[in-house]
Amino acid sequence: MRRARLSRPGAEARRRGFAHERDLAFRLFKAGFAVVRAPASGSKASRLAYPDVVAIYRGRVLVFEAKAYSSLRPVYVDARRYRRLVDFAERAGGRAFLAFKLVGTGEWRLVPLQRLERVETGAYRCPVALLEGAERLDDLVRRVKEGGNLYMT
């Protein structure tokens, strides 16, 4: 007789989050990028900076913090996570992005991390208006492949 597995609080949400990270990684891989999804992202590995996804195309490095929600709403990144993502991107000579997936549409929108605004708590917020006007994944992929400027958005 098998025992029922007890689920830890938040385990289902983390599992869904991992699935969205894998979706982003797969789309970038299909587009010709070398891609790594950091299995330690969001874990207790506190000494190192682990982005959710790192994608490289001919030496151009993109670092992603992936978030997925069922509706458009402000997205927050805590200050420590923000600093570590920016530091990772700088060490790699790349650019850090907030990758937002609107669940149900399959669409990824990308906002350079530096465009987020700092709030009173010290966290960083991406307002809905910024998400609505954000670059789509396909457009960023095209721009990178054409050798366009990663810092124009």
Side-chain angles (χ1 to χ4, degrees):
M1 179 169 162
R2 284 180 72 168
R3 280 190 223 170
R5 262 170 82 171
L6 297 177
S7 180
R8 292 183 307 215
E12 179 62 22
R14 281 192 299 277
R15 186 188 63 74
R16 283 192 311 267
F18 296 155
H20 293 300
E21 291 170 12
R22 285 190 303 271
D23 174 60
L24 176 61
F26 180 72
R27 288 173 188 233
L28 289 161
F29 183 79
K30 266 182 57 176
F33 287 73
V35 181
V36 175
R37 188 187 81 72
S41 66
S43 77
K44 302 295 182 206
S46 61
R47 292 195 185 265
L48 301 174
Y50 291 107
D52 292 329
V53 176
V54 177
I56 305 164
Y57 184 81
R58 297 185 179 168
R60 306 190 80 189
V61 180
L62 308 175
V63 175
F64 298 98
E65 170 72 4
K67 301 286 186 184
Y69 295 110
S70 58
S71 63
L72 274 176
R73 64 181 189 212
V75 177
Y76 292 85
V77 177
D78 73 62
R80 186 176 185 185
R81 179 86 174 140
Y82 178 92
R83 284 190 307 273
R84 289 182 172 194
L85 290 163
V86 170
D87 179 60
F88 186 98
E90 287 174 355
R91 287 172 182 245
R95 183 91 193 262
F97 291 89
L98 171 69
F100 175 84
K101 182 180 184 183
L102 188 57
V103 177
T105 68
E107 178 178 88
W108 285 95
R109 299 176 186 199
L110 307 164
V111 176
L113 228 50
Q114 289 81 356
R115 296 207 48 211
L116 275 60
E117 53 193 36
R118 192 163 191 169
V119 295
E120 284 182 20
T121 63
Y124 289 81
R125 176 180 59 206
C126 183
V128 171
L130 202 50
L131 289 171
E132 289 174 332
E135 186 170 32
R136 305 305 195 264
L137 180 61
D138 292 342
D139 295 329
L140 177 66
V141 164
R142 188 176 311 107
R143 188 159 49 91
V144 169
K145 288 179 139 185
E146 291 171 353
N149 185 352
L150 286 180
Y151 295 91
M152 65 183 253
T153 58

